[in-house]
């Protein structure tokens, strides 16, 4: 069952998602060669607690940290560590907050120093694919319209969409129905209605879409060792079109 949110609930979700947006914007300014991934985790957690919110991922299904930090061939769910970011890396930051009963969730991939042309293109295509998906998040459309828009943009650019992980509904729970695949067929799936709130999150690989989970039980990596990028926004479907709740003001 897909839970519809009232206008008031959407505003509460916006508050939680704006905390995520502010944290991610701040982390973005800290990204440079020499910083460790656990430095970023610590900043994210401190900033969130200072705002009176809680980091949503810490303890979720046993996840050990506040932030997910996935470098280069890591797709999602990278665990912060003493790993030092270096020039030419790309780093995906995924962050969630919990504030007054409502969740926020957003992610972005950021270049560290100077990155290769293909890395830059992968990042840009993934972000564009997210916005192609968001543009389809409107009444009179179906879920497959979002999925197909993401997949088409990615595949036209010669990259691939991860199959094994998907976006999700979000609200009083971090993960609600429906699942939102980044691949699918236009015109298929459930009808989209005002009041649905979705975390749309394309994970895009430079090579094969196949992935595997590392021995730590969390870190997802590309099977071929090539690069991966990830962007995510929490989006409310309204009568006036998509409303990006996690968009930085
Ligand atoms: N943004 C991801 C998601 O929506 C990360 C959450 S997984 C966690 O699924 F376990 F780290 F919390
Ligand atoms: Co998510």
């Amino acid at each position: 069952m897909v839970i519809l949110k009232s206008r008031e609930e959407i505003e509460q979700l916006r508050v939680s998602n704006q905390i995520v947006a502010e944290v991610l914007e701040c982390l973005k300014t800290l990204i440079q060669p020499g910083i460790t991934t656990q430095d970023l985790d610590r900043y994210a957690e401190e900033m969130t607690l200072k705002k009176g919110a809680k980091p949503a991922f810490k303890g979720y299904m046993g996840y050990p940290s506040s932030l997910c930090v996935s470098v280069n061939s890591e797709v999602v769910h990278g665990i912060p560590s003493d790993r030092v970011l270096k020039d030419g890396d790309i780093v995906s930051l995924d962050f969630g907050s919990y504030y007054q009963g409502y969740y926020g969730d957003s992610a972005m991939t950021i270049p560290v120093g100077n990155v290769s042309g293909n890395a830059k293109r992968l990042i840009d295509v993934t972000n564009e694919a997210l916005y192609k998906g968001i543009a389809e998040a409107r009444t009179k459309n179906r879920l497959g319209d979002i999925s197909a828009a993401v997949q088409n943009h990615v595949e036209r650019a010669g990259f691939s969409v991860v199959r094994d992980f998907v976006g999700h509904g979000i609200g009083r729970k971090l993960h609600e129905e429906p699942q939102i695949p980044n691949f699918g067929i236009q015109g298929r799936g459930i009808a989209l209605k005002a009041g649905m709130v979705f975390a749309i999150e394309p994970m895009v690989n430079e090579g094969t879409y196949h992935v595997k989970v590392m021995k730590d039980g969390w870190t997802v990596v590309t099977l071929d060792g090539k690069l991966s990028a990830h962007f995510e926004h929490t989006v409310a479907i309204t009568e006036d079109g998509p409303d990006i709740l996690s968009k930085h003001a």
Side-chain angles (χ1 to χ4, degrees):
M1 188 197 52
V2 179
I3 301 168
L4 299 182
K5 280 80 181 178
S6 67
R7 279 207 293 263
E8 291 73 21
E9 288 176 296
I10 288 173
E11 289 318 307
Q12 287 180 281
L13 280 161
R14 193 190 311 278
V15 176
S16 192
N17 275 283
Q18 283 300 303
I19 293 170
V20 176
E22 286 165 19
V23 168
L24 286 176
E25 281 304 311
C26 179
L27 294 180
K28 199 172 169 180
T29 69
L30 299 173
I31 297 285
Q32 53 171 305
I35 195 164
T36 70
T37 60
Q38 69 199 9
D39 289 336
L40 297 169
D41 181 65
R42 189 165 36 79
Y43 278 112
E45 179 165 322
E46 280 173 11
M47 244 182 289
T48 305
L49 295 174
K50 209 174 289 173
K51 292 171 191 292
K54 279 202 209 151
F57 302 164
K58 198 166 194 167
Y60 182 84
M61 312 263 287
Y63 186 71
S65 302
S66 295
L67 185 68
C68 296
V69 188
S70 308
V71 183
N72 295 338
S73 62
E74 296 173 355
V75 179
V76 286
H77 303 166
I79 299 173
S81 71
D82 57 7
R83 178 174 186 164
V84 178
L85 295 181
K86 59 180 204 308
D87 188 66
D89 285 343
I90 65 171
V91 59
S92 300
L93 304 177
D94 188 351
F95 189 64
S97 73
Y98 182 70
Y99 185 71
Q100 294 187 352
Y102 292 88
Y103 282 95
D105 192 3
S106 181
M108 55 172 65
T109 300
I110 300 157
V112 183
N114 295 304
V115 303
S116 72
N118 214 40
K120 180 79 180 73
R121 200 169 66 85
L122 178 70
I123 291 172
D124 290 344
V125 166
T126 307
N127 192 34
E128 289 158 12
L130 169 59
Y131 279 85
K132 297 279 185 189
I134 291 171
E136 300 299 323
R138 48 178 70 252
T139 57
K140 301 188 180 72
N141 274 0
R142 288 180 177 271
L143 189 59
D145 296 331
I146 297 176
S147 306
V150 171
Q151 181 177 18
N152 289 339
H153 188 71
V154 168
E155 293 182 352
R156 265 200 290 268
F159 297 132
S160 69
V161 294
V162 171
R163 281 16 179 203
D164 293 0
F165 295 85
V166 296
H168 49 95
I170 179 169
R172 287 187 164 278
K173 293 205 298 187
L174 177 60
H175 294 139
E176 294 182 357
E177 287 181 36
Q179 293 197 352
I180 304 173
N182 297 297
F183 57 98
I185 298 168
Q186 198 186 332
R188 301 274 180 90
I190 61 163
L192 304 182
K193 295 197 174 72
M196 290 182 176
V197 180
F198 293 165
I200 305 174
E201 50 178 317
M203 289 144 268
V204 175
N205 292 356
E206 190 183 16
T208 177
Y209 63 75
H210 290 287
V211 299
K212 64 174 181 181
V213 181
M214 299 285 276
K215 285 206 186 73
D216 64 17
W218 281 102
T219 312
V220 177
V221 297
T222 58
L223 205 58
D224 59 10
K226 293 187 180 184
L227 298 176
S228 187
H230 179 209
F231 281 84
E232 175 177 24
H233 270 311
T234 294
V235 180
I237 297 173
T238 77
E239 296 295 354
D240 304 323
D243 183 354
I244 306 175
L245 305 181
S246 53
K247 195 176 183 99
H248 193 254

PDB file of all heavy atoms in Angstrom, residues 47-67:
ATOM      1  N   MET A  47      26.519  17.982  12.698  1.00  0.00           N
ATOM      2  CA  MET A  47      25.649  19.014  12.146  1.00  0.00           C
ATOM      3  C   MET A  47      24.181  18.661  12.357  1.00  0.00           C
ATOM      4  O   MET A  47      23.360  19.512  12.694  1.00  0.00           O
ATOM      5  CB  MET A  47      25.902  19.103  10.631  1.00  0.00           C
ATOM      6  CG  MET A  47      26.478  20.413  10.161  1.00  0.00           C
ATOM      7  SD  MET A  47      26.643  20.363   8.372  1.00  0.00           S
ATOM      8  CE  MET A  47      27.985  19.220   8.188  1.00  0.00           C
ATOM      9  N   THR A  48      23.868  17.390  12.153  1.00  0.00           N
ATOM     10  CA  THR A  48      22.480  16.930  12.258  1.00  0.00           C
ATOM     11  C   THR A  48      21.975  17.028  13.699  1.00  0.00           C
ATOM     12  O   THR A  48      20.868  17.516  13.947  1.00  0.00           O
ATOM     13  CB  THR A  48      22.378  15.480  11.753  1.00  0.00           C
ATOM     14  OG1 THR A  48      22.908  15.446  10.428  1.00  0.00           O
ATOM     15  CG2 THR A  48      20.953  14.991  11.732  1.00  0.00           C
ATOM     16  N   LEU A  49      22.803  16.580  14.633  1.00  0.00           N
ATOM     17  CA  LEU A  49      22.399  16.624  16.043  1.00  0.00           C
ATOM     18  C   LEU A  49      22.221  18.069  16.492  1.00  0.00           C
ATOM     19  O   LEU A  49      21.297  18.398  17.239  1.00  0.00           O
ATOM     20  CB  LEU A  49      23.440  15.905  16.917  1.00  0.00           C
ATOM     21  CG  LEU A  49      23.567  14.391  16.660  1.00  0.00           C
ATOM     22  CD1 LEU A  49      24.728  13.800  17.456  1.00  0.00           C
ATOM     23  CD2 LEU A  49      22.260  13.666  16.994  1.00  0.00           C
ATOM     24  N   LYS A  50      23.096  18.975  15.997  1.00  0.00           N
ATOM     25  CA  LYS A  50      23.006  20.397  16.342  1.00  0.00           C
ATOM     26  C   LYS A  50      21.678  20.992  15.869  1.00  0.00           C
ATOM     27  O   LYS A  50      21.135  21.904  16.476  1.00  0.00           O
ATOM     28  CB  LYS A  50      24.184  21.149  15.709  1.00  0.00           C
ATOM     29  CG  LYS A  50      24.621  22.380  16.497  1.00  0.00           C
ATOM     30  CD  LYS A  50      25.876  23.021  15.924  1.00  0.00           C
ATOM     31  CE  LYS A  50      27.138  22.208  16.151  1.00  0.00           C
ATOM     32  NZ  LYS A  50      28.297  22.793  15.439  1.00  0.00           N
ATOM     33  N   LYS A  51      21.149  20.461  14.779  1.00  0.00           N
ATOM     34  CA  LYS A  51      19.869  20.952  14.261  1.00  0.00           C
ATOM     35  C   LYS A  51      18.682  20.294  14.962  1.00  0.00           C
ATOM     36  O   LYS A  51      17.527  20.515  14.593  1.00  0.00           O
ATOM     37  CB  LYS A  51      19.795  20.691  12.747  1.00  0.00           C
ATOM     38  CG  LYS A  51      20.774  21.526  11.924  1.00  0.00           C
ATOM     39  CD  LYS A  51      20.788  21.045  10.471  1.00  0.00           C
ATOM     40  CE  LYS A  51      21.931  21.657   9.674  1.00  0.00           C
ATOM     41  NZ  LYS A  51      21.796  23.103   9.451  1.00  0.00           N
ATOM     42  N   GLY A  52      18.975  19.423  15.928  1.00  0.00           N
ATOM     43  CA  GLY A  52      17.892  18.786  16.674  1.00  0.00           C
ATOM     44  C   GLY A  52      17.301  17.568  15.980  1.00  0.00           C
ATOM     45  O   GLY A  52      16.260  17.058  16.378  1.00  0.00           O
ATOM     46  N   ALA A  53      17.993  17.099  14.926  1.00  0.00           N
ATOM     47  CA  ALA A  53      17.528  15.913  14.202  1.00  0.00           C
ATOM     48  C   ALA A  53      18.450  14.727  14.504  1.00  0.00           C
ATOM     49  O   ALA A  53      19.460  14.882  15.186  1.00  0.00           O
ATOM     50  CB  ALA A  53      17.520  16.203  12.706  1.00  0.00           C
ATOM     51  N   LYS A  54      18.066  13.569  14.000  1.00  0.00           N
ATOM     52  CA  LYS A  54      18.905  12.373  14.160  1.00  0.00           C
ATOM     53  C   LYS A  54      19.342  11.860  12.802  1.00  0.00           C
ATOM     54  O   LYS A  54      18.582  11.946  11.828  1.00  0.00           O
ATOM     55  CB  LYS A  54      18.107  11.260  14.854  1.00  0.00           C
ATOM     56  CG  LYS A  54      18.032  11.395  16.351  1.00  0.00           C
ATOM     57  CD  LYS A  54      17.716  10.025  16.949  1.00  0.00           C
ATOM     58  CE  LYS A  54      16.965  10.146  18.253  1.00  0.00           C
ATOM     59  NZ  LYS A  54      16.092   8.996  18.480  1.00  0.00           N
ATOM     60  N   PRO A  55      20.562  11.304  12.717  1.00  0.00           N
ATOM     61  CA  PRO A  55      20.957  10.651  11.467  1.00  0.00           C
ATOM     62  C   PRO A  55      20.125   9.385  11.286  1.00  0.00           C
ATOM     63  O   PRO A  55      20.050   8.556  12.197  1.00  0.00           O
ATOM     64  CB  PRO A  55      22.440  10.312  11.682  1.00  0.00           C
ATOM     65  CG  PRO A  55      22.749  10.593  13.104  1.00  0.00           C
ATOM     66  CD  PRO A  55      21.575  11.185  13.781  1.00  0.00           C
ATOM     67  N   ALA A  56      19.496   9.245  10.134  1.00  0.00           N
ATOM     68  CA  ALA A  56      18.515   8.172   9.944  1.00  0.00           C
ATOM     69  C   ALA A  56      19.152   6.802   9.727  1.00  0.00           C
ATOM     70  O   ALA A  56      18.544   5.772  10.033  1.00  0.00           O
ATOM     71  CB  ALA A  56      17.620   8.497   8.752  1.00  0.00           C
ATOM     72  N   PHE A  57      20.362   6.773   9.181  1.00  0.00           N
ATOM     73  CA  PHE A  57      20.927   5.478   8.781  1.00  0.00           C
ATOM     74  C   PHE A  57      21.601   4.753   9.938  1.00  0.00           C
ATOM     75  O   PHE A  57      21.715   3.540   9.922  1.00  0.00           O
ATOM     76  CB  PHE A  57      21.949   5.638   7.642  1.00  0.00           C
ATOM     77  CG  PHE A  57      21.407   6.284   6.384  1.00  0.00           C
ATOM     78  CD1 PHE A  57      22.273   6.781   5.418  1.00  0.00           C
ATOM     79  CD2 PHE A  57      20.043   6.376   6.153  1.00  0.00           C
ATOM     80  CE1 PHE A  57      21.799   7.368   4.250  1.00  0.00           C
ATOM     81  CE2 PHE A  57      19.547   6.972   4.990  1.00  0.00           C
ATOM     82  CZ  PHE A  57      20.433   7.470   4.041  1.00  0.00           C
ATOM     83  N   LYS A  58      22.090   5.535  10.937  1.00  0.00           N
ATOM     84  CA  LYS A  58      22.866   4.913  12.020  1.00  0.00           C
ATOM     85  C   LYS A  58      21.993   3.928  12.782  1.00  0.00           C
ATOM     86  O   LYS A  58      20.967   4.307  13.346  1.00  0.00           O
ATOM     87  CB  LYS A  58      23.425   5.963  12.966  1.00  0.00           C
ATOM     88  CG  LYS A  58      24.543   5.440  13.818  1.00  0.00           C
ATOM     89  CD  LYS A  58      25.309   6.557  14.500  1.00  0.00           C
ATOM     90  CE  LYS A  58      26.606   6.028  15.055  1.00  0.00           C
ATOM     91  NZ  LYS A  58      27.506   7.113  15.449  1.00  0.00           N
ATOM     92  N   GLY A  59      22.398   2.662  12.785  1.00  0.00           N
ATOM     93  CA  GLY A  59      21.630   1.628  13.465  1.00  0.00           C
ATOM     94  C   GLY A  59      20.526   1.022  12.612  1.00  0.00           C
ATOM     95  O   GLY A  59      19.915   0.022  13.008  1.00  0.00           O
ATOM     96  N   TYR A  60      20.258   1.601  11.429  1.00  0.00           N
ATOM     97  CA  TYR A  60      19.224   1.051  10.556  1.00  0.00           C
ATOM     98  C   TYR A  60      19.698  -0.292  10.001  1.00  0.00           C
ATOM     99  O   TYR A  60      20.723  -0.358   9.330  1.00  0.00           O
ATOM    100  CB  TYR A  60      18.924   2.031   9.417  1.00  0.00           C
ATOM    101  CG  TYR A  60      17.833   1.581   8.486  1.00  0.00           C
ATOM    102  CD1 TYR A  60      16.500   1.815   8.785  1.00  0.00           C
ATOM    103  CD2 TYR A  60      18.142   0.892   7.317  1.00  0.00           C
ATOM    104  CE1 TYR A  60      15.498   1.391   7.938  1.00  0.00           C
ATOM    105  CE2 TYR A  60      17.146   0.453   6.466  1.00  0.00           C
ATOM    106  CZ  TYR A  60      15.824   0.707   6.778  1.00  0.00           C
ATOM    107  OH  TYR A  60      14.838   0.277   5.937  1.00  0.00           O
ATOM    108  N   MET A  61      18.997  -1.364  10.328  1.00  0.00           N
ATOM    109  CA  MET A  61      19.393  -2.722   9.943  1.00  0.00           C
ATOM    110  C   MET A  61      20.843  -3.019  10.366  1.00  0.00           C
ATOM    111  O   MET A  61      21.521  -3.827   9.723  1.00  0.00           O
ATOM    112  CB  MET A  61      19.295  -2.930   8.423  1.00  0.00           C
ATOM    113  CG  MET A  61      17.986  -2.464   7.817  1.00  0.00           C
ATOM    114  SD  MET A  61      16.785  -3.773   7.590  1.00  0.00           S
ATOM    115  CE  MET A  61      17.500  -4.657   6.217  1.00  0.00           C
ATOM    116  N   GLY A  62      21.312  -2.337  11.406  1.00  0.00           N
ATOM    117  CA  GLY A  62      22.674  -2.561  11.890  1.00  0.00           C
ATOM    118  C   GLY A  62      23.740  -1.751  11.186  1.00  0.00           C
ATOM    119  O   GLY A  62      24.945  -1.951  11.444  1.00  0.00           O
ATOM    120  N   TYR A  63      23.347  -0.797  10.317  1.00  0.00           N
ATOM    121  CA  TYR A  63      24.362   0.036   9.645  1.00  0.00           C
ATOM    122  C   TYR A  63      25.115   0.844  10.699  1.00  0.00           C
ATOM    123  O   TYR A  63      24.511   1.460  11.562  1.00  0.00           O
ATOM    124  CB  TYR A  63      23.699   0.963   8.607  1.00  0.00           C
ATOM    125  CG  TYR A  63      24.717   1.719   7.799  1.00  0.00           C
ATOM    126  CD1 TYR A  63      25.500   1.070   6.855  1.00  0.00           C
ATOM    127  CD2 TYR A  63      24.949   3.076   8.021  1.00  0.00           C
ATOM    128  CE1 TYR A  63      26.468   1.752   6.138  1.00  0.00           C
ATOM    129  CE2 TYR A  63      25.909   3.768   7.309  1.00  0.00           C
ATOM    130  CZ  TYR A  63      26.666   3.093   6.361  1.00  0.00           C
ATOM    131  OH  TYR A  63      27.634   3.765   5.654  1.00  0.00           O
ATOM    132  N   PRO A  64      26.471   0.851  10.638  1.00  0.00           N
ATOM    133  CA  PRO A  64      27.255   1.385  11.766  1.00  0.00           C
ATOM    134  C   PRO A  64      27.464   2.898  11.786  1.00  0.00           C
ATOM    135  O   PRO A  64      27.935   3.412  12.795  1.00  0.00           O
ATOM    136  CB  PRO A  64      28.605   0.677  11.605  1.00  0.00           C
ATOM    137  CG  PRO A  64      28.710   0.390  10.147  1.00  0.00           C
ATOM    138  CD  PRO A  64      27.307   0.153   9.658  1.00  0.00           C
ATOM    139  N   SER A  65      27.164   3.627  10.712  1.00  0.00           N
ATOM    140  CA  SER A  65      27.543   5.038  10.627  1.00  0.00           C
ATOM    141  C   SER A  65      26.350   5.920  10.276  1.00  0.00           C
ATOM    142  O   SER A  65      25.262   5.432  10.006  1.00  0.00           O
ATOM    143  CB  SER A  65      28.636   5.208   9.572  1.00  0.00           C
ATOM    144  OG  SER A  65      29.745   4.398   9.918  1.00  0.00           O
ATOM    145  N   SER A  66      26.599   7.235  10.263  1.00  0.00           N
ATOM    146  CA  SER A  66      25.541   8.189   9.940  1.00  0.00           C
ATOM    147  C   SER A  66      25.423   8.418   8.443  1.00  0.00           C
ATOM    148  O   SER A  66      24.347   8.700   7.922  1.00  0.00           O
ATOM    149  CB  SER A  66      25.819   9.533  10.627  1.00  0.00           C
ATOM    150  OG  SER A  66      25.752   9.369  12.021  1.00  0.00           O
ATOM    151  N   LEU A  67      26.579   8.350   7.765  1.00  0.00           N
ATOM    152  CA  LEU A  67      26.681   8.697   6.349  1.00  0.00           C
ATOM    153  C   LEU A  67      27.107   7.453   5.566  1.00  0.00           C
ATOM    154  O   LEU A  67      27.864   6.631   6.089  1.00  0.00           O
ATOM    155  CB  LEU A  67      27.755   9.783   6.226  1.00  0.00           C
ATOM    156  CG  LEU A  67      28.021  10.453   4.895  1.00  0.00           C
ATOM    157  CD1 LEU A  67      26.833  11.327   4.482  1.00  0.00           C
ATOM    158  CD2 LEU A  67      29.286  11.335   5.012  1.00  0.00           C
TER     159      LEU A  67
END
